[in-house]
Amino acid sequence: MGRRLVLIVLACLLLAGGTASSQDAKTANKAKALSSIEKRKPDLIALSDRIWAYAETALREHKSAKALSDYAEQEGMKVERGVAGMPTAFIASYGQGSPVIAILGEFDALPGISQKASPVKEPLEEGAPGHGCGHNIFGTASLGAALAIKDLISEGKLKGTIRFYGTPAEESVYGKTYMVRDGLFKDVDVCLAWHPDSKIQADVDSTQALVDFVVEFRGRTAHAALDPWNGRSAVDGVEAFTHGVNMLREHVKPTVRMHYAIVKGGDVPNVVPDYGKVWCWVRDSKRDGVEKVLERLRQIADGAGKIAGVESKFTIQTACYEILVNMAGARLLHQNLMMLGPIKYTEQEQLFAKAIQKAAGTEQKGLEGEVKPLDLPKPNPPGGSTDVGDVSWVVPTLHLSVTTAPEAIWHAWPVVAAGGMSIGHKGLTYAASTLAATMVDLFEDSSARNAIRAEFTEKTRGFVYKPYIPPGPPPLPR
Ligand SMILES: [Zn+2]
């Protein structure tokens, strides 16, 4: 169903209703929320395209954060900037009292994948960053949904507080983890998030818990031929550590992933290196699994230092939990997806998508605009990691995927290309509409909120949130 048709159907339902029942009021508020998004559509698309062009990486998203927070302020929301010690983190809010409904928005880009809105690989600026995860659309669509709710509160049609969380650095230090640790979600009843994707679905699968750490080795330098017996090679420590990691691989659960990069491994062969550094990520589908492997890795780092006769230092940089899925929330999102129906693409858009898939060497099946059925959660789903996980353990969190790019390669040029043209724009308004309609339910229907909260309470019984991040704000890039 097209957006215009949804509005007409909602209006007819309202007119046919006669006396105003609560169902009619809800329908009317949803129609109003959708028309708010329709009204702001040119602004939202321009905002998303600006952030797409800025393409700023983690904690450097100054222009992107300013564009979003300035627009929120201009449209009447109260904005608090620089929260949780991060200059690019902010909260925009409107209304007062309960319920407090929050929505998350990301806006950081990825390094090195600059791309034009073109169906073949063609950098906008060679080597520059690009929005290969669609976060330009993520942040803008979430803000569009928040503003639609703000309109309803300001007209007295909904009661409570709407809050937009501008969350930086999802692609590196996990900005949300700092915001959770600093208690910024304490009074939130329900939180919503979404992510650009190549499908439309209410998400019921969790993500991977992750710990990001570095191991540094410090030895003693010497001439590699004249007096190597006086040296202690830090790179021997690096090699012993990575060898240990690779031996450990055989003895971990199949759900565990360990990846590393040697970021400092000596300079020249004829100098015994006195410094070496490995950057490592360990993941599992559950935080408990990560903790067990992490303990083994600490011992391996310690052992590697002893083998090489050098000092070893193990430092955790950041971490995130797996997402705690909320099925009651997923069902509510799914109902609203069904109300909106599929995204309709033009023939040109399908041809653009197929050209991307051809250039990327993947199946040329075009764009998926249909709403996928609600799945059952898998016990150990594969996939990536996100700091939405941390939010989901302190406040019930609903998560949605919406098509903004064809299925090809993620975190790469095809996502940047589709995210800067009409395919991305359609995903933007569709995500904003679904989220706004779902939030209308959450504001109006206390039984929907209670079901979500009851499931959350049950699943978090005995749970204590434990951030791994070091004290203070994350280090800012120079
Ligand atoms: Zn992402």
Side-chain angles (χ1 to χ4, degrees):
M1 206 187 290
R3 203 64 33 77
R4 194 173 297 274
L5 192 53
V6 170
L7 287 173
I8 293 167
V9 170
L10 287 171
C12 290
L13 283 171
L14 178 66
L15 289 171
T19 54
S21 69
S22 69
Q23 191 58 38
D24 290 337
K26 190 195 273 187
T27 310
N29 282 340
K30 281 193 188 180
K32 180 79 183 49
L34 298 190
S35 71
S36 281
I37 290 160
E38 199 63 29
K39 186 189 75 194
R40 287 200 181 86
K41 194 166 143 183
D43 282 3
L44 295 173
I45 287 174
L47 192 54
S48 173
D49 285 353
R50 265 169 75 196
I51 296 169
W52 181 88
Y54 292 152
E56 296 168 299
T57 54
L59 299 177
R60 288 190 167 96
E61 323 97 324
H62 297 284
K63 285 187 279 188
S64 308
K66 184 171 174 0
L68 287 165
S69 58
D70 283 357
Y71 187 65
E73 206 164 49
Q74 174 202 312
E75 294 297 296
M77 294 182 89
K78 191 172 130 276
V79 177
E80 193 187 347
R81 294 178 174 83
V83 299
M86 293 176 286
T88 51
F90 65 95
I91 298 175
S93 58
Y94 190 83
Q96 55 190 349
S98 109
V100 179
I101 307 295
I103 186 160
L104 307 177
E106 297 171 5
F107 39 83
D108 59 331
L110 286 157
I113 52 169
S114 169
Q115 166 69 26
K116 292 183 183 168
S118 145
V120 289
K121 191 166 189 274
E122 201 180 357
L124 195 61
E125 187 191 335
E126 194 68 57
H131 270 288
C133 208
H135 293 181
N136 57 309
I137 311 170
F138 185 162
T140 312
S142 294
L143 181 57
L147 288 170
I149 297 300
K150 181 237 114 192
D151 290 348
L152 286 165
I153 296 175
S154 76
E155 289 168 22
K157 295 191 163 73
L158 294 178
K159 282 193 171 51
T161 308
I162 177 73
R163 238 182 246 162
F164 172 87
Y165 285 72
T167 65
E170 192 278 332
E171 300 289 4
S172 72
V173 298
Y174 291 141
K176 292 179 203 68
T177 309
Y178 292 85
M179 298 168 89
V180 172
R181 185 197 60 190
D182 288 7
L184 300 183
F185 291 89
K186 252 186 196 148
D187 59 343
V188 175
D189 290 290
V190 179
C191 182
L192 291 92
W194 77 286
H195 203 285
D197 209 291
S198 48
K199 65 170 192 306
I200 302 174
Q201 193 167 34
D203 294 310
V204 298
D205 276 333
S206 181
T207 50
Q208 311 297 307
L210 180 152
V211 175
D212 167 328
F213 63 93
V214 292
V215 187
E216 292 167 283
F217 294 95
R218 284 188 170 80
R220 195 164 66 235
T221 191
H223 191 289
L226 288 179
D227 63 340
W229 48 87
N230 284 327
R232 295 289 178 270
S233 169
V235 175
D236 286 352
V238 169
E239 287 191 56
F241 174 72
T242 57
H243 186 56
V245 170
N246 293 321
M247 292 178 92
L248 179 63
R249 274 187 213 285
E250 197 181 4
H251 308 287
V252 295
K253 297 261 174 74
T255 49
V256 172
R257 296 285 182 277
M258 296 180 287
H259 6 270
Y260 59 78
I262 296 172
V263 288
K264 185 69 183 170
D267 294 312
V268 286
N270 64 348
V271 174
V272 173
D274 61 0
Y275 183 72
K277 183 174 174 182
V278 193
W279 181 16
C280 195
W281 287 7
V282 56
R283 312 194 206 213
D284 196 357
S285 55
K286 305 281 181 293
R287 176 63 162 261
D288 288 355
V290 172
E291 286 186 7
K292 286 190 187 104
V293 176
L294 194 65
E295 206 33 57
R296 299 283 307 272
L297 290 165
R298 281 184 192 277
Q299 289 167 0
I300 290 170
D302 190 44
K306 289 193 170 91
I307 287 170
V310 299
E311 294 285 319
S312 75
K313 188 177 168 210
F314 192 103
T315 310
I316 290 178
Q317 302 199 112
T318 190
C320 70
Y321 279 84
E322 73 276 18
I323 284 184
L324 178 66
V325 174
N326 191 290
M327 285 305 294
R331 284 191 287 271
L332 192 65
L333 276 173
H334 185 68
Q335 281 169 20
N336 284 290
L337 285 173
M338 294 310 286
M339 187 263 298
L340 286 166
I343 300 181
K344 292 265 168 56
Y345 294 108
T346 62
E347 202 184 325
Q348 287 94 322
E349 285 163 345
Q350 288 291 5
L351 287 172
F352 187 95
K354 285 178 185 170
I356 284 182
Q357 287 163 333
K358 185 175 180 211
T362 55
E363 194 188 336
Q364 291 173 54
K365 54 185 179 184
L367 291 153
E368 270 196 54
E370 295 294 319
V371 176
K372 284 195 171 290
L374 190 65
D375 277 340
L376 285 172
K378 295 179 207 68
N380 293 300
S385 307
T386 167
D387 54 4
V388 176
D390 288 59
V391 178
S392 74
W393 284 91
V394 298
V395 51
T397 301
L398 282 48
H399 202 281
L400 170 75
S401 290
V402 171
T403 302
T404 63
E407 190 178 334
I409 325 166
W410 207 259
H411 271 196
W413 70 266
V415 181
V416 193
M421 47 80 73
S422 64
I423 296 170
H425 301 159
K426 282 188 176 173
L428 190 170
T429 47
Y430 188 90
S433 303
T434 313
L435 295 162
T438 306
M439 286 197 282
V440 168
D441 287 330
L442 291 169
F443 272 94
E444 293 190 324
D445 186 354
S446 59
S447 66
R449 289 199 306 274
N450 291 344
I452 288 167
R453 179 53 75 169
E455 181 180 333
F456 174 80
T457 305
E458 178 61 34
K459 286 181 171 173
T460 53
R461 188 154 289 142
F463 170 81
V464 180
Y465 178 73
K466 192 171 87 177
Y468 264 122
I469 48 173
L476 297 178
R478 269 170 282 159

